Amino acid sequence: MMRRVRGVAAPPPAERADRRAPQKKKDGAERVDRRAPQKKKDGGVKTSSLFKHNPDIPALLSPVVSQVKEKIFTSDSFSDMDLHPHLVATLNKVLNVSTVTSVQKQTMPVLLSGRDAVVRSQTGSGKTLAYAVPVVQSLQALQQKVSRSDGPLAVVIVPTRELAQQTFQTFQKLLKPFTWIVPGVLMGGEKRKSEKARLRKGINILVSTPGRLVDHIKNTLVIAFSSVRWLILDEADRILDLGFEKDLTVILNSLNSTGPSRQNVLLSATLSQGVTRLADVCLNDPVTINVSGPASSDLTAPATDPGSADQPESFTLPEALQQFVVVVPSKVRLVCLAAFILHKCKFSKNNKLIVFTSSCEAVEFLHAIFTAVLSTNQKPPLSFLRLHGNMKQEDRTEVFKEFSVSQSGVLLCTDVAARGLHLPAVTWIIQFTPPTAAAEYVHRVGRTARIGGRGSSLLFLTPAETAFTTELANHNISLSEMKLEDILSSLMMDDTFKGRGRYHSQSSSKALEQETRERATVLQTEFENFVHSDAQSLQNAKKALQSFLRSYTTFPAPLKHIFHIKHLHLGHTAKSFGLRDAPQGLSAPGGGEEQEEGQPEERGGRRKRLCQQGGESAEI
């Protein structure tokens, strides 16, 4: 008797029957072997049903949520502040901003007075200018005029290369009237020799990722911090999340060993306990600025309590952000995402979508399959871009620039794009794989509805993951449900993926549902045909599946009851990567043989082996 593995449901009788060995019919003919893909009469491969043997979609609970409101704009203007007139003119004409946001109104006077500060404000509220303007104002006002030979006077640490480049460009614009103050950026992926040359010439406002700055501290003799007056840690919680705590220690030790007393600023959309500890180490009697609450000189004040087990942290999101969730069985996930993209990018105008997924391999897989299947079938072709930590830096920079200036299109990315980046006019954020924490959800959706603009977000969950909506509600985040059928119905607008054509718009709702499902199956067949068209495409899909399974094991302990590897049906999950069957030997260079979904213990054993292989690539 086969041993049943706890937590893995036995396959339905119909599925078990599919796995029986070929049998003889009474007339001596052999039964069809369903373990191999069947051939249709037209020579194509038959796709197993997307809509059979799926778990029921449960009713979503809608807990009552009192969302924390944060007013973005004030009635004040930069001209009301005690700033250099040329700086005000640059803000108005070059950066095209005149009205001060709430975080800027509260933060700038504190920083201009010389105080250290911890700043918490929702993403997209203008935190970069909240510290950049005071830095430029103070440096241009120094009695002894700044020169390149002074070296770094302000050091700005950010977690990712894209944010480093964006912050550097902001300083470049602000410094147009003050050409004697020189900004510079250091980040991974750039040539160290060129960076050393720039450091040798002199950089006054130094923007850097933590790892690259530590590299120069250890290996570049010309770098010196004897004149540093400002230290800014932007997206401080993300810096810690990415494992840069040791690098920050090296940086702080270098800064503390020499130089005058300096002003320190920590900024983030969320204040984790790690950030609070970091503030204790590197800030001196800071003012805590919480835009959704009063400013405080007490870092432990309730307004900025990062939350505890009894009272989770409440996050602030833009009022103009509409948040949705769709519950999708694993087998239908790929088709559902494709249908949503078609709806927003083909049948609507001027939509810019960012799709977050869990790994670099998944981004590459989605980019390849959507470019091949969705883009080539559309006129004009849909634009798909990708961004992740395994790309060359010049490619990442080019994608960032291209998506920033485009009017429409889809950016497929990892969480490398989740923090601080300002990508103009993004209308939809799609979280194809769920975030590992409520705070990460906040940062992802923060790429839209920025600086008072409007935007929407859509979170994909499987039926087994729906309790995550309650977890978000505990942090005062409320979602509205979007129905799977409504998303798939957009395929009825596209004759590219029509089914057998037996049903028409005047038909019954049952018939329309049937044709929608047929069109979804046609689209899934195209995806599977692409994946199985050559060895490389098949191997890429298997790598993406493997990385997804690996990432699924990394959810923190408090969320394991929602996201646990034992809840995944490996065969159904494989379908969402265009694979016809749950594969074996994903780590082998050429992949393993495909087979029908195994018995529960076989699935569990393969799952365990897959998830023990390797780690994800760094995203910096």
Side-chain angles (χ1 to χ4, degrees):
M1 181 179 291
M2 286 192 173
R3 182 173 60 84
R4 180 182 175 86
V5 176
R6 289 183 62 196
V8 181
E15 290 188 42
R16 290 200 296 268
D18 285 351
R19 301 190 188 104
R20 294 170 186 158
Q23 301 175 25
K24 295 286 185 180
K25 294 184 179 179
K26 290 181 180 179
D27 61 1
E30 190 172 77
R31 292 183 182 274
V32 175
D33 183 356
R34 298 184 184 178
R35 291 176 298 177
Q38 297 180 45
K39 296 287 184 180
K40 295 197 296 185
K41 291 180 181 179
D42 61 3
V45 176
K46 182 178 180 180
T47 301
S48 60
S49 173
L50 291 177
F51 300 97
K52 290 182 180 178
H53 310 306
N54 285 326
D56 293 333
I57 295 178
L60 281 182
L61 299 176
S62 301
V64 178
V65 169
S66 300
Q67 288 196 234
V68 181
K69 304 297 183 183
E70 178 179 321
K71 186 179 178 182
I72 295 289
F73 289 104
T74 69
S75 57
D76 296 12
S77 68
F78 285 102
S79 57
D80 298 328
M81 296 189 164
D82 188 19
L83 300 174
H84 194 289
H86 290 172
L87 182 54
V88 174
T90 301
L91 286 163
N92 293 339
K93 296 176 182 178
V94 180
L95 281 84
N96 198 30
V97 294
S98 56
T99 305
V100 177
T101 67
S102 296
V103 67
Q104 293 162 1
K105 181 178 180 179
Q106 292 190 36
T107 303
M108 289 170 58
V110 172
L111 298 187
L112 289 170
S113 72
R115 294 287 301 275
D116 285 9
V118 176
V119 182
R120 178 192 180 182
S121 178
Q122 67 174 260
T123 184
S125 59
K127 290 192 293 294
T128 302
L129 287 182
Y131 69 79
V133 170
V135 167
V136 172
Q137 171 66 23
S138 66
L139 294 186
Q140 65 81 29
L142 289 175
Q143 289 187 349
Q144 186 171 347
K145 195 173 183 178
V146 173
S147 70
R148 297 187 73 154
S149 60
D150 294 331
L153 298 173
V155 175
V156 183
I157 307 297
V158 297
T160 65
R161 301 174 189 177
E162 283 72 28
L163 187 52
Q165 188 67 34
Q166 180 179 284
T167 304
F168 165 66
Q169 290 170 354
T170 298
F171 274 110
Q172 274 188 315
K173 293 173 182 176
L174 289 175
L175 291 169
K176 281 186 177 294
F178 315 110
T179 54
W180 60 91
I181 303 174
V182 179
V185 60
L186 308 176
M187 59 187 185
E190 295 294 326
K191 295 180 180 178
R192 289 180 177 83
K193 188 174 182 181
S194 299
E195 291 183 342
K196 287 182 180 181
R198 292 201 298 272
L199 286 167
R200 193 174 294 110
K201 289 181 179 178
I203 295 174
N204 303 126
I205 299 177
L206 180 61
V207 182
S208 181
T209 53
R212 180 47 66 98
L213 184 55
V214 167
D215 184 279
H216 282 290
I217 288 172
K218 293 180 176 179
N219 300 304
T220 304
L221 297 177
V222 72
I223 195 168
F225 297 124
S226 57
S227 303
V228 172
R229 295 170 174 268
W230 288 84
L231 172 64
I232 316 289
L233 299 177
D234 197 3
E235 300 290 353
D237 59 342
R238 184 61 173 168
I239 292 173
L240 296 177
D241 289 344
L242 288 173
F244 288 124
E245 193 165 351
K246 290 184 179 179
D247 289 334
L248 285 180
T249 301
V250 173
I251 294 167
L252 290 172
N253 287 340
S254 297
L255 289 168
N256 293 339
S257 62
T258 58
S261 61
R262 66 173 187 274
Q263 196 170 345
N264 305 283
V265 188
L266 269 70
L267 305 101
S268 183
T270 60
L271 285 182
S272 66
Q273 293 178 354
V275 172
T276 303
R277 290 194 299 270
L278 180 61
D280 290 338
V281 171
C282 67
L283 272 66
N284 179 32
D285 187 26
V287 175
T288 300
I289 297 166
N290 186 2
V291 177
S292 56
S296 171
S297 295
D298 179 8
L299 192 59
T300 61
T304 61
D305 184 5
S308 63
D310 298 328
Q311 188 174 358
E313 182 181 11
S314 293
F315 296 118
T316 308
L317 289 164
E319 291 187 57
L321 173 66
Q322 291 184 299
Q323 301 172 84
F324 299 95
V325 59
V326 59
V327 183
V328 189
S330 293
K331 281 200 291 187
V332 196
R333 288 176 75 247
L334 186 60
V335 167
C336 181
L337 175 60
F340 188 86
I341 289 172
L342 286 172
H343 181 211
K344 298 302 175 185
C345 294
K346 181 176 182 181
F347 305 119
S348 303
K349 291 184 178 180
N350 297 328
N351 271 312
K352 286 175 72 172
L353 282 60
I354 298 180
V355 180
F356 283 102
T357 190
S358 58
S359 70
C360 306
E361 293 87 349
V363 170
E364 289 291 338
F365 164 76
L366 290 174
H367 183 263
I369 201 167
F370 285 165
T371 300
V373 176
L374 296 188
S375 188
T376 54
N377 284 329
Q378 308 303 325
K379 294 182 180 180
L382 303 182
S383 171
F384 291 97
L385 299 172
R386 69 195 193 282
L387 184 65
H388 60 75
N390 280 354
M391 294 170 60
K392 293 180 179 179
Q393 184 54 46
E394 54 265 32
D395 295 335
R396 288 170 64 167
T397 301
E398 184 59 34
V399 166
F400 182 72
K401 289 179 180 177
E402 184 176 346
F403 191 69
S404 294
V405 300
S406 65
Q407 298 298 311
S408 61
V410 181
L411 177 65
L412 305 158
C413 63
T414 59
D415 281 329
V416 73
R419 297 296 187 107
L421 294 187
H422 180 61
L423 294 159
V426 172
T427 53
W428 279 92
I429 300 298
I430 305 169
Q431 303 192 54
F432 189 52
T433 51
T436 56
E440 202 58 51
Y441 174 93
V442 171
H443 285 292
R444 285 178 171 186
V445 300
R447 298 316 98 211
T448 188
R450 296 177 67 81
I451 315 294
R454 305 190 67 82
S456 305
S457 67
L458 177 62
L459 172 66
F460 275 63
L461 295 176
T462 66
E465 297 167 347
T466 53
F468 189 57
T469 59
T470 303
E471 170 68 17
L472 292 175
N474 291 337
H475 295 275
N476 283 7
I477 298 170
S478 177
L479 307 178
S480 301
E481 185 175 8
M482 190 179 289
K483 295 294 186 181
L484 170 63
E485 294 79 9
D486 293 338
I487 294 177
L488 293 180
S489 67
S490 63
L491 296 175
M492 297 298 293
M493 303 166 67
D494 193 342
D495 286 337
T496 307
F497 307 111
K498 64 184 177 183
R500 299 170 193 160
R502 294 181 297 169
Y503 308 104
H504 306 284
S505 58
Q506 296 85 2
S507 303
S508 67
S509 59
K510 186 86 173 174
L512 288 173
E513 179 185 0
Q514 175 65 20
E515 185 171 358
T516 298
R517 290 187 170 193
E518 286 187 0
R519 292 192 179 206
T521 302
V522 170
L523 180 52
Q524 176 72 18
T525 303
E526 292 211 22
F527 287 145
E528 292 182 14
N529 288 344
F530 170 78
V531 165
H532 293 266
S533 62
D534 59 71
Q536 187 60 55
S537 296
L538 183 60
Q539 185 63 14
N540 289 343
K542 291 179 179 180
K543 283 182 179 179
L545 171 60
Q546 181 178 0
S547 69
F548 171 79
L549 296 173
R550 208 162 47 221
S551 69
Y552 213 82
T553 66
T554 65
F555 278 91
L559 295 180
K560 285 289 188 185
H561 67 290
I562 304 173
F563 305 102
H564 199 290
I565 195 75
K566 71 181 182 181
H567 297 155
L568 291 179
H569 188 302
L570 188 55
H572 289 191
T573 305
K575 280 294 246 192
S576 69
F577 290 90
L579 294 163
R580 295 187 182 124
D581 304 287
Q584 287 184 320
L586 292 186
S587 61
E593 289 184 0
E594 298 161 15
Q595 70 169 41
E596 194 70 27
E597 298 154 17
Q599 293 294 335
E601 57 267 39
E602 294 172 342
R603 290 204 304 269
R606 283 207 305 278
R607 181 183 293 123
K608 184 176 180 181
R609 288 195 300 275
L610 295 175
C611 297
Q612 288 173 340
Q613 295 163 357
E616 296 294 350
S617 302
E619 291 287 8
I620 59 167

